[in-house]
Amino acid sequence: MNKLFYFLPLGAMACTTCSSSGKKISDELKGQRPNVLLIYADDIGYGDLSCNGTSSVSTPNVDKLASEGIRFTNAHCAAATSTPSRYALLTGEYAWRRKGTGIAAGNAAMIIKPDRYTLADMFKSAGYRTGAIGKWHLGLGAETGAQDWNGVVRPNPADIGFDYSYIMAATADRTPCMFMENGKGVGLDPNDPVYVSYKENFPGEPTGKDNPELLRLHPSHGHDQAIVNGISRIGYMKGGEKARWRDEDIADSITLHAIRFLERQQGATEPFFLYLATNDIHVPRVPHERFVGKSGLGARGDALLSFDWSVGQIMGTLQRLGLDENTIVILSSDNGAVIDDGYKDQAVELLGDHKATGVYRGGKYSIFEGGTRVPCLLRWKGKVTSGVSDQLMSQVDWFASFASMLGISIPQEGAPDSRNYLDSWLSATEKGRDFVVQQNIQNNLAITDGEWKYIPAAKGAAMNKQTNTELGNLPEKDQLYNLKNDPGEKNNVVDEHPELVERLRFELNKVIESGVYYKR
Ligand code: NG6
Ligand code: CA
């Protein structure tokens, strides 16, 4: 095969299509500054939403959003876990290029340093009001383990471009179990300071390991340290009793703060960018009492109903405030589905024949499609024609795509892996990416180009035995799947297509060599 051919990604050879008027939608929309609302779900798999085909759970508010916008069937988060996906989304850089971007502890220092040019900075430089509400999981403070959780922890989202933040420092299953508003613990009583440790327990504090009799939700693996609200977590915590969240109220609290953020938009002259990251449906899954038992699928399904409720509240608020037409709404997830992620919440027992990853193999943590092919919807009422896009898309591109919409030129060091696919985000008939790079929990990589997916041989366990997830690692042999004929990645056809494998390997290496590859 001609080497020169290698330099042309497959998609580069096909001309991208134009709208019927012959004009690209991005041209038609030049100079517009719509609000951007990004609803970023946690652990919701491709098959978890009824708009993506499941009949075992009903998500009517999400379905409405899907029917009014574009539903992407081949969109990927950058990685198969939270921290690296969020890192890539906000920096436009693949997380595998950076050490220390794996799943963050609750007391991790802020992973995105203040001098980085972030997605929020980009919106701010275009005159937007910016907010981050919900799950953070990107670290806070200057030094791991050295935060004073009773003061204003800095750096915090304000230092990377967010005018307002109301966040959970990490995840619901990690201490500290309190909300942080603009860097400060919410509801803290100065007479009852809060302390956090990931090294050792505080004397006299019960733990899930030693005091299972105090638990109302038991861990299935890990999660046996501090007990908060009768649920044991990862990490230790002492004090701050009044500030501790009640798990049942987390979705309400996040949704309410998002609604308030939107209400403050009334009368504002500048548009907003809101990164609304839900806690649903991450573990521990303890949705509000009004959802309990309603899905028939146990806590995981009930958390999906809670998520859908939040979406409905937010959409209703946009409408009430007259923001419906001038707001781009995106809904997606930070990684694929997992059923048992560490608590005995009956998710496995009550799953029935629900396929949380759809037809895709693997799930959260995995290099298979179930790890990163996630739900993805985009609605821009009155501007974007509804439809279904089967194009290959990546969340890492939101950065450059929105920068292009706003006419912002990204500084040279900024968003190195992000590409402008604005037309493909706004039109289901436009061609998407030439390829996407996928990352699993071991920082092993795969590349999908068109219908072909190549997973180089790489070290790592075949299974996450705790969650019962196939990770897709095969140390001795490359893998090649034809996703068109074999979306479930069942038939490794690597031996049948040596030239194709060589080209995909070359293509992946080219991406890797354009920067650093930090291998775990
Ligand atoms: C894992 C946790 C899991 C979850 C995950 C992060 C254990 C045994 N498992 O280490 O429960 O918290 O980290 O999930 O501790 S994520 O969606 O935020 O990436
Ligand atoms: Ca997640």
Side-chain angles (χ1 to χ4, degrees), residues 172-175 177 206-208 211-212 214-219 223-235 244-248 250 283-287 342-344:
D173 59 350
R174 285 170 174 76
T175 61
C177 298
T207 63
N211 308 87
L214 298 178
L215 299 178
R216 61 175 170 134
L217 177 61
H218 290 261
H223 304 96
D224 61 359
Q225 299 175 343
I227 300 177
V228 175
N229 297 324
I231 303 166
S232 47
R233 322 271 166 162
I234 309 170
R244 295 179 179 203
W245 60 53
R246 197 179 81 99
D247 294 78
E248 288 85 342
I250 291 176
V283 295
R285 304 172 187 124
V286 191
Y343 291 95
K344 293 179 183 165

Side-chain angles (χ1 to χ4, degrees), residues 42-43 82 334-335:
D42 200 349
D43 294 3
S82 151
D334 69 337
N335 53 250

